[in-house]
Amino acid sequence: MKSILILLGVVLGIAVFATSCGDSLKKKSTGIKKENETNMDTKNVKEIYFAGGCFWGTEHFFQQVRGVVGTEVGYANGNTENPTYEQVVSHTTGFAETVKVKYDPEQVDLKLLIDLYFKTIDPTSIDKQGNDRGNQYRTGIYSTDKETEAIVKAEVEKLAKNYSKPVVVETIPLKNFYRAEDYHQDYLDKTREATAISNRGFLKSQGMPIRFPKKKQKK
């Protein structure tokens, strides 16, 4: 029962943050253009792309997982070049809000990342997550190679057996990906701490080793 309540808290927490995703134009802030990435040997790093509704919550969730060494939010699998947020939300570009996740497969398995991702979305909902609606909020897992694509398809097919409705998560190759504006990067990390606490509690309940932020030194 405790783990169920924690899971509901995580999902509802992400949904609450997603309700404000469409209002982000009113909350622009400047930031250093960077990808949130841990320094390590790039030979061990693989990447996968998750579309899970508003990309703020999806990015923040994966940042708590040990083995995830880098994240970046952006727009994937659309039909134009270098889209802006305004163009994406106009529903004319075909892009999905997506999180590029870099991970070390020696620390975290891709199948586990997919399983955790499923716990943060409604995989049976078409173009809708929480209160956010539109094709930019569709769900999908996008791969950059055939081996990864095969793993994704097999794992999603297995997880789909747990649902009474059809699972509509896209499992297709990545066609394109454009980095979102700076103010979208690490958005919840800049604005709210409660989500991080909730996400870490859920991951801990699942037996996952988690990453804790360094404590700030008192002046």
Side-chain angles (χ1 to χ4, degrees):
M1 177 61 73
K2 182 178 180 181
S3 61
I4 294 174
L5 291 175
I6 294 173
L7 173 56
L8 288 173
V10 173
V11 176
L12 290 173
I14 292 176
V16 168
F17 286 119
T19 61
S20 62
C21 197
D23 297 329
S24 62
L25 292 177
K26 302 175 184 178
K27 303 177 181 178
K28 289 185 179 181
S29 62
T30 58
I32 299 174
K33 186 176 182 179
K34 68 179 181 67
E35 180 176 336
N36 179 11
E37 184 170 334
T38 302
N39 292 327
M40 65 173 296
D41 187 353
T42 56
K43 292 181 181 179
N44 296 327
V45 174
K46 291 189 176 183
E47 62 185 44
I48 189 73
Y49 295 75
F50 290 100
C54 179
F55 47 24
W56 295 344
T58 305
E59 179 188 41
H60 199 86
F61 184 84
F62 279 113
Q63 286 175 346
Q64 315 309 315
V65 181
R66 182 177 298 171
V68 170
V69 299
T71 60
E72 184 176 63
V73 299
Y75 313 116
N77 287 6
N79 52 34
T80 186
E81 294 183 359
N82 299 309
T84 63
Y85 180 73
E86 291 89 343
Q87 291 171 330
V88 171
V89 299
S90 71
H91 312 303
T92 60
T93 65
F95 281 98
E97 292 195 11
T98 302
V99 181
K100 175 182 179 181
V101 174
K102 289 188 175 183
Y103 68 98
D104 181 354
E106 294 183 0
Q107 296 188 53
V108 62
D109 186 65
L110 175 58
K111 293 180 181 180
L112 179 55
L113 291 178
I114 296 171
D115 183 60
L116 290 172
Y117 161 77
F118 260 67
K119 296 181 189 303
T120 69
I121 63 169
D122 176 358
T124 68
S125 180
I126 300 175
D127 295 345
K128 177 180 181 294
Q129 290 295 310
N131 290 330
D132 285 325
R133 304 187 181 202
N135 63 348
Q136 78 270 29
Y137 298 122
R138 67 184 182 273
T139 55
I141 307 174
Y142 309 130
S143 311
T144 57
D145 61 80
K146 292 293 184 180
E147 181 182 358
T148 300
E149 183 182 359
I151 294 173
V152 170
K153 287 182 178 295
E155 190 64 16
V156 170
E157 183 177 348
K158 184 182 77 173
L159 292 171
K161 296 177 182 179
N162 298 324
Y163 298 86
S164 58
K165 297 180 181 179
V167 165
V168 295
V169 177
E170 295 180 329
T171 56
I172 59 178
L174 182 75
K175 180 173 71 173
N176 50 29
F177 177 81
Y178 296 96
R179 186 182 188 278
E181 295 82 349
D182 287 350
Y183 68 93
H184 284 302
Q185 308 298 326
D186 303 312
Y187 186 84
L188 294 185
D189 206 33
K190 299 171 185 173
T191 57
R192 291 172 178 156
E193 295 295 330
T195 304
I197 297 171
S198 177
N199 287 349
R200 292 189 191 104
F202 167 67
L203 292 170
K204 187 175 181 181
S205 75
Q206 300 298 303
M208 270 295 297
I210 57 178
R211 178 187 301 145
F212 288 94
K214 294 181 179 179
K215 292 183 178 180
K216 295 181 180 180
Q217 296 294 329
K218 293 183 179 180
K219 294 182 179 180

